[in-house]
């Protein structure tokens, strides 16, 4: 079974759009998401455009603030400070990566925790690891929603996560652990990776290498979630970390790329913006 992130994301956004209508009547304004884009990296431009498109679709007020790559760290921190203070702004997202002269750490920490729609702020991350209320990071949240949608039982299962980045691998592992999976985290130093992955009931792959996961690395009947977004070196088309055509034969459920985790990340961003908005209007 192929789990379509595109159709699940559409379902989620439909729910968000209905909430926007309801809340606008109740609180007198729609949620407002501000996305900051520094520079003109084509991938970042395309991600930001997608976020603006989704925001429009669900009825948010959305503002994209574009700044040149030469902007200083101080200028961007000041901009974030102003947006933090603005009561008409609910969510702030700075598109990563940033130019080298700007510290991503400082920028992420400067966004108010309450407006941190990405769930990257250190206090949100700490809250996640301490099982406290927090804004969940979008991609990991989307991974769990995809598994739930496919009816994959998580509790008691062997989950293997490849990748340990702050934005995908680590939080995905934590969310699976919180759902009572037994989690094995793999990375570039993992020895005999295929031996580990073959035993997985649930395999989540977030490496960033085209078609890295071959059929011999997937156990019969595993649920495979492919977070990777790459260019196929042969065709130049978008592809995941998983060799989809080959692994589809072994997996019980599998996500495609494109059309899997990507749209889910954006749908979860819409949900997170509503969460931040509700906190703001409740103040
Ligand atoms: P990242 O920060 O580069 O992390 C990659 C991880 O993969 C690292 O933990 C690395 O291990 C591990 N790795 C690299 N080569 C490996 C190998 N040969 N065997 C096992 N593990 C290996 O990347 P990321 O930000 O997590 O992103 C991963 C992928 O997901 C990328 O393709 C990215 O574009 C995609 N992504 C998609 C979405 C979405 O919305 N769909 C969102 C975010 C990211 P070490 O820690 O040992 O270096």
């Amino acid at each position: 079974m192929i789990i379509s992130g595109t159709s699940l994301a559409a379902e989620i956004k439909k729910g968000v759009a209905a909430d926007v209508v309801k809340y606008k009547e109740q609180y007198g304004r729609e949620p407002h998401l501000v996305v900051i884009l520094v520079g003109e990296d084509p991938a970042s431009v395309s991600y930001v455009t997608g976020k603006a498109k989704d925001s429009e679709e669900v009825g948010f007020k959305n503002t994209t603030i574009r700044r040149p790559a030469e902007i200083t760290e101080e200028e961007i921190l000041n901009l974030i400070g102003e947006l933090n203070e603005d009561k008409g702004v609910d969510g702030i997202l700075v598109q990563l990566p940033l130019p080298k002269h700007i510290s991503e750490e400082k920028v992420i920490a400067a966004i108010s925790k309450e407006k941190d729609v990405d769930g990257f702020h250190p206090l949100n991350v700490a809250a996640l690891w301490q099982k406290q209320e927090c804004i969940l990071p979008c991609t990991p949240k989307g991974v769990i929603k995809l598994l739930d949608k496919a009816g994959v039982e998580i509790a008691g299962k062997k989950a293997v996560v490849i990748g340990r980045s702050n934005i995908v691998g680590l939080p995905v592992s934590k969310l699976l652990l919180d759902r009572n999976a037994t989690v094995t985290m793999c990375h570039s130093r993992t020895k005999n990776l295929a031996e580990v992955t073959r035993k997985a009931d649930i395999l989540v792959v977030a490496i960033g290498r085209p078609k890295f996961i071959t059929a011999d690395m997937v156990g019969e009947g595993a649920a495979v979630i492919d977070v990777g977004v790459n260019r196929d070196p042969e065709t130049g088309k978008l592809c995941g970390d998983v060799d989809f055509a080959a692994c589809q034969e072994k997996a019980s459920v599998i996500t495609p790329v494109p059309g899997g985790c990507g749209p889910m990340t954006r749908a979860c961003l819409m949900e997170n913006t509503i969460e931040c908005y509700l906190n703001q209007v409740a103040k």
Side-chain angles (χ1 to χ4, degrees):
M1 180 175 115
I2 299 170
I3 327 171
S4 166
T6 309
S7 59
L8 179 53
E11 244 176 70
I12 292 170
K13 285 189 284 179
K14 212 172 146 191
V16 171
D19 283 346
V20 171
V21 173
K22 184 177 77 189
Y23 293 138
K24 197 178 165 185
E25 231 167 71
Q26 203 171 337
Y27 299 110
R29 69 168 180 87
E30 62 275 81
H32 184 192
L33 174 65
V34 175
V35 176
I36 302 173
L37 171 63
V38 178
E40 283 168 16
D41 170 64
S44 295
V45 171
S46 138
Y47 287 134
V48 165
T49 308
K51 285 163 188 170
K53 193 174 143 271
D54 280 353
S55 297
E56 237 154 71
E57 198 183 316
V58 299
F60 290 169
K61 178 177 177 190
N62 71 91
T63 308
T64 303
I65 301 179
R66 299 183 76 140
R67 289 289 182 267
E70 301 72 39
I71 188 175
T72 65
E73 189 177 272
E74 195 187 349
E75 282 169 324
I76 191 159
L77 292 176
N78 287 341
L79 172 62
I80 292 169
E82 284 165 22
L83 294 167
N84 283 340
E85 293 302 313
D86 187 338
K87 289 194 168 48
V89 171
D90 303 296
I92 306 168
L93 183 154
V94 178
Q95 185 63 45
L96 303 179
L98 290 170
K100 295 255 178 301
H101 66 278
I102 301 173
S103 157
E104 291 188 352
E105 250 175 58
K106 276 193 201 167
V107 165
I108 290 169
I111 297 171
S112 135
K113 175 182 176 268
E114 285 72 31
K115 297 189 180 188
D116 173 35
V117 278
D118 255 340
F120 291 167
H121 190 283
L123 290 175
N124 267 318
V125 176
L128 169 67
W129 287 86
Q130 293 178 2
K131 288 194 186 175
Q132 292 165 0
E133 209 177 299
C134 64
I135 298 161
L136 293 178
C138 302
T139 303
K141 186 176 176 181
V143 167
I144 302 296
K145 281 181 186 279
L146 283 165
L147 288 168
D148 285 341
K149 178 68 181 175
V152 175
E153 203 179 319
I154 300 176
K157 299 291 176 185
K158 284 190 217 105
V160 172
V161 178
I162 318 181
R164 54 177 167 180
S165 71
N166 286 335
I167 60 167
V168 191
L170 280 179
V172 165
S173 298
K174 176 65 167 85
L175 293 182
L176 288 165
L177 188 63
D178 286 349
R179 292 284 297 269
N180 297 315
T182 301
V183 184
T184 305
M185 293 159 73
C186 301
H187 44 78
S188 64
R189 308 286 185 90
T190 301
K191 296 240 177 349
N192 303 322
L193 184 63
E195 263 175 41
V196 182
T197 58
R198 270 197 293 271
K199 292 189 185 121
D201 301 311
I202 298 167
L203 178 61
V204 182
V205 192
I207 310 174
R209 294 192 168 203
K211 298 183 177 176
F212 181 84
I213 301 295
T214 46
D216 62 306
M217 298 173 84
V218 176
E220 207 64 60
V224 179
I225 306 288
D226 187 355
V227 185
V229 181
N230 315 290
R231 289 273 162 204
D232 185 326
E234 282 161 25
T235 63
K237 289 188 178 158
L238 273 191
C239 74
D241 290 345
V242 173
D243 183 342
F244 181 84
C247 296
Q248 193 182 1
E249 307 293 321
K250 302 277 284 292
S252 57
V253 296
I254 188 165
T255 55
V257 178
C261 294
M264 285 304 295
T265 298
R266 289 188 349 227
C268 290
L269 173 67
M270 300 299 112
E271 274 196 351
N272 285 359
T273 304
I274 288 271
E275 222 178 284
C276 293
Y277 162 82
L278 288 175
N279 283 335
Q280 178 97 342
V281 289
K283 271 184 192 168

